[in-house]
Amino acid sequence: MTADVSRRKAAIFDLDGTLLDSMGVWDQVDIDFLAKRGIAVPDDYMTMVAPMQFRQIAEYTIARFGLPDTPEALMDEWDDMARVAYATTVEAKPGALDYLKDLRARGVRLGVATSLPPRLREPALEHVGMLGLFDEIVSVDDANDVGKDRPDVFLLAAARLGVEPRDCTVFEDLLVAIRSARSVGMRVWAMHDDSSDADWSTICDEADGVLFDFHDAPRDL
């Protein structure tokens, strides 16, 4: 039996911590936001919120610290703090832009599956020169607000790209997202990010491959 070489392939990318070297933005937002309220960032806070979507993080933060704010007020404040950084200072991970262009030239369908809302992701992608490279961009908001601890956003990206899950390669930095993408038959390459250091040994065991930048990323998917 010969392999079906005509099957369409897709690469689906996370943004924060994978394509974008941006997790430091959120670390600083967390530090500055809580500092204004006289609260030091607990050691486990960033790990807890990493797989959540925006509203979930706001609700969790309000509940954890007993804040009087509404989720909308928190999200607006975080937006104001993050928008400038995403539009002006966030950079791509090394080799990412060339890698995307190379995959496009090979006929690979390109998608984004992210927790970032459009108001943050689009300025960031434009700033790093990637905005026009993707065939589809979806977020957890498009997947009924289901976080990346479940595979909904990855399945939605695959469906919109017109590619079967088994023919998708996902690039992620979070352990829970790696597990959920693999649970539906997708291959997953893990991108190292400082924010995932605590899980890195487990990530290395569970991912199909690991990367520290995109110069060594797989060309044949």
Side-chain angles (χ1 to χ4, degrees):
M1 181 180 293
T2 59
D4 181 1
V5 296
S6 66
R7 287 203 326 236
R8 178 175 286 180
K9 303 288 186 178
I12 300 172
F13 295 86
D14 170 57
L15 292 182
D16 274 335
T18 301
L19 276 182
L20 302 177
D21 192 6
S22 54
M23 297 304 279
V25 169
W26 288 109
D27 291 349
Q28 195 60 50
V29 166
D30 292 337
I31 291 167
D32 294 344
F33 171 82
L34 291 174
K36 284 193 291 185
R37 290 156 175 81
I39 302 169
V41 180
D43 291 341
D44 67 336
Y45 175 76
M46 295 173 186
T47 301
M48 292 295 295
V49 302
M52 298 180 188
Q53 58 98 358
F54 215 42
R55 174 172 284 276
Q56 285 178 314
I57 298 173
E59 293 170 347
Y60 173 81
T61 301
I62 289 168
R64 177 160 184 176
F65 300 109
L67 302 180
D69 310 77
T70 64
E72 289 75 16
L74 260 66
M75 290 189 290
D76 287 344
E77 185 172 346
W78 289 335
D79 266 355
D80 291 340
M81 298 171 74
R83 191 178 295 116
V84 171
Y86 271 94
T88 61
T89 64
V90 166
E91 298 298 337
K93 289 277 185 145
L97 184 59
D98 287 341
Y99 182 59
L100 293 174
K101 291 178 178 178
D102 184 58
L103 290 182
R104 280 188 67 87
R106 293 168 179 260
V108 176
R109 299 276 287 167
L110 299 182
V112 165
T114 181
S115 298
L116 280 180
R119 60 190 174 273
L120 295 179
R121 69 178 182 246
E122 290 177 5
L125 289 172
E126 184 173 6
H127 173 63
V128 298
M130 294 180 179
L131 187 58
L133 295 178
F134 297 100
D135 299 293
E136 294 288 343
I137 297 176
V138 299
S139 72
V140 292
D141 300 316
D142 301 313
N144 299 315
D145 292 335
V146 175
K148 285 189 173 182
D149 54 325
R150 290 163 55 189
D152 299 47
V153 71
F154 299 113
L155 291 172
L156 177 61
R160 291 192 179 179
L161 289 166
V163 179
E164 293 293 325
R166 62 177 176 163
D167 293 319
C168 294
T169 301
V170 171
F171 295 84
E172 262 287 354
D173 66 305
L174 292 178
L175 178 59
V176 293
I178 291 165
R179 286 173 169 168
S180 64
R182 294 192 81 238
S183 75
V184 291
M186 297 180 177
R187 296 178 67 244
V188 183
W189 280 72
M191 172 59 67
H192 179 268
D193 192 77
D194 290 345
S195 62
S196 296
D197 273 343
D199 293 325
W200 185 242
S201 62
T202 305
I203 287 171
C204 290
D205 289 338
E206 298 193 17
D208 295 288
V210 297
L211 300 167
F212 286 85
D213 59 44
F214 282 96
H215 292 112
D216 296 324
R219 260 55 186 179
D220 295 318
L221 302 183

